[in-house]
Amino acid sequence: MNMLSLFNWLGNTSVGLAIQESNWGIATGEMVHLLALAAMGGTILLVDLRLFGIGMKRQPASRLARELSPVFWTSLAVMFVSGVLILSGETMKCYYNPAFRLKMLLLFFALLFHATFHRNAVASATGTVSSFRSKSAAALSLALWLSVGLAGRAIGYL
Amino acid sequence: MNLLHLCQWLYASSLATTIRESQYGFPVIETAHVLGITVLVGTVAIVDLRLLGVVMKREPVSEVLEQVLPLTWCGFLIQFCSGSLLLFSKAAEYYWNPIFRIKLVLLLLAGLNPLIFHSTIYRSVATWGESRITPIRARLAGAFSLTIWGAIIVAGRAIAYFHHR
C-alpha cells in the first residue's frame, strides 16, 4: 500500500467523509489543534529555555521535564488525533501540498530528536548550571519544533 | 470620531496599507501570532494547571508563578504587537466581525482574572502555596483562566471564517 492509497483510504473512511461534508469539521479540528499547540508549545518552551538557563531556574531541567511530561504527551496525543482528523477532511490537498510533506518530515526529526539526544540531555541536566550539551539540545529542539510549526501554518497558505 | 471612524483611519494608514498590499505581510505576522500562542497561553496554562493541582504539585505556587511570569509577559508583548498589526491591516473589516468583538470581550475577562486573583486570594499565598490542593478560589481562578484563554484561541481562529459582505 503506497502513501497515495493510504491517503485515499483515510479520505473515504466514514469519519473522513463526515468531516468533508460538514461545514465546521475542519474548523473544529483546527481549533482543537491550536488549543493543544498552546499546551505542547508551552512545555517545550519552558523545558528548552530551562536547558539554556532561562526561566524556571530554581529546579533542575530534569525535574522540570519530568513534571511537565504528562502535559507534553497529552497535548501531543491531542495534536496527533486532531491532525489526523483535519487530514482526513482534506487528504488530497495535503498529499500534494509541499508544506505538508515538509511538516511531516520535520515532525519525524523533531520526535526522533526528542526521544534520543534531547531526552538524554534532559536526563543528565540534574544540576543548576547549563552545560554545552544542554544548550545545544535546547537550541536544536526549539529550532526543530519551530520549523514544524512554521511548516504547519504554511500548509494553509499553499 | 467614533469607533468605526477610528477603524477606517487605521485601515487607511500607511502601515496597514503596506501590510495589506504586501504578499507576505499578513501571513508572516499571522504565523508569529499563531506560534506566539505557545509563549503566552502555554505559560499561563502551566500556572493554571499548578493552581488546579495537576502539574508541578511539589513546587510552591508562588515559585511556579514568579518564574513563569516574565515569559508570559514576553508572550503578551509578541501577541499584542502582532495582533495589533493584523487588526490595523483589516480594521475596517474586523469592525463588523461579531467573532472579533467576542474575542475582545474575552481578552478583557482574561485580563481581569489575574488582577482579581492577585489582589485577593494570592495575597495569602504564603499560607497555602506549598500544598498540592489549593483553596477553591485559587482553583476557580485557574479553571476560569484555562477556559477563557481556550475560548480566545477558538474565537481567534473563528475570526477568519466570518467575512463581512
Side-chain angles (χ1 to χ4, degrees):
Chain A
M1 189 153 151
N2 64 21
M3 201 53 82
L4 184 58
S5 48
L6 180 70
F7 275 48
N8 267 320
W9 169 82
L10 183 66
N12 282 305
T13 57
S14 54
V15 175
L17 292 170
I19 292 172
Q20 288 153 39
E21 281 162 24
S22 137
N23 280 332
W24 286 94
I26 301 259
T28 310
E30 284 174 349
M31 286 163 182
V32 175
H33 209 58
L34 282 178
L35 289 172
L37 167 74
M40 192 180 103
T43 60
I44 292 171
L45 197 67
L46 287 173
V47 172
D48 284 342
L49 288 179
R50 173 62 190 89
L51 286 171
F52 267 122
I54 304 168
M56 308 194 78
K57 280 185 290 197
R58 280 178 240 168
Q59 40 282 105
S62 57
R63 192 162 103 213
L64 184 65
R66 200 166 52 240
E67 303 254 13
L68 297 182
S69 85
V71 181
F72 174 80
W73 290 109
T74 307
S75 47
L76 183 68
V78 175
M79 293 215 86
F80 180 78
V81 172
S82 57
V84 170
L85 289 174
I86 297 168
L87 171 63
S88 74
E90 47 184 30
T91 46
M92 285 308 106
K93 175 192 162 179
C94 290
Y95 184 81
Y96 291 106
N97 190 308
F100 178 81
R101 293 180 175 204
L102 181 63
K103 181 183 177 182
M104 291 303 111
L105 188 69
L106 290 166
L107 179 61
F108 172 77
F109 285 117
L111 287 170
L112 186 69
F113 185 74
H114 185 86
T116 55
F117 188 85
H118 189 263
R119 184 197 184 98
N120 296 333
V122 166
S124 64
T126 50
T128 46
V129 183
S130 298
S131 63
F132 176 74
R133 186 185 179 195
S134 291
K135 288 180 183 167
S136 33
L140 263 165
S141 167
L142 283 175
L144 276 167
W145 287 114
L146 180 65
S147 61
V148 172
L150 290 173
R153 180 57 272 213
I155 295 170
Y157 292 126
L158 295 180
Chain B
M1 186 155 152
N2 63 26
L3 196 54
L4 177 59
H5 289 140
L6 176 67
C7 288
Q8 287 166 341
W9 176 79
L10 284 169
Y11 186 84
S13 68
S14 64
L15 178 64
T17 309
T18 307
I19 296 169
R20 205 165 45 245
E21 290 179 353
S22 132
Q23 192 182 351
Y24 298 109
F26 197 88
V28 166
I29 302 167
E30 192 180 43
T31 302
H33 199 60
V34 169
L35 297 178
I37 292 174
T38 60
V39 190
L40 175 59
V41 186
T43 56
V44 167
I46 297 302
V47 175
D48 294 338
L49 290 173
R50 172 62 186 91
L51 289 174
L52 291 167
V54 179
V55 296
M56 308 198 73
K57 289 167 270 202
R58 286 174 297 166
E59 318 287 335
V61 168
S62 55
E63 290 259 309
V64 176
L65 197 145
E66 283 162 21
Q67 293 184 90
V68 163
L69 197 59
L71 291 171
T72 306
W73 278 114
C74 285
F76 177 79
L77 197 67
I78 297 169
Q79 295 305 77
F80 184 80
C81 294
S82 57
S84 299
L85 291 175
L86 293 175
L87 164 63
F88 295 170
S89 76
K90 294 198 174 183
E93 295 166 40
Y94 285 168
Y95 177 83
W96 302 100
N97 191 315
I99 308 295
F100 185 81
R101 295 179 180 199
I102 291 172
K103 185 179 174 182
L104 286 184
V105 175
L106 290 169
L107 280 169
L108 193 67
L109 292 174
L112 280 176
N113 185 42
L115 285 181
I116 296 168
F117 175 71
H118 280 268
S119 56
T120 56
I121 188 74
Y122 190 70
R123 280 175 181 271
S124 58
V125 70
T127 61
W128 54 265
E130 294 196 14
S131 53
R132 189 178 73 79
I133 310 285
T134 61
I136 183 72
R137 288 178 67 187
R139 273 178 281 157
L140 275 176
F144 183 77
S145 169
L146 278 181
T147 311
I148 290 292
W149 282 110
I152 289 170
I153 293 175
V154 168
R157 184 63 194 92
I159 288 172
Y161 286 108
F162 282 82
H163 299 286
H164 172 59
R165 324 160 196 267

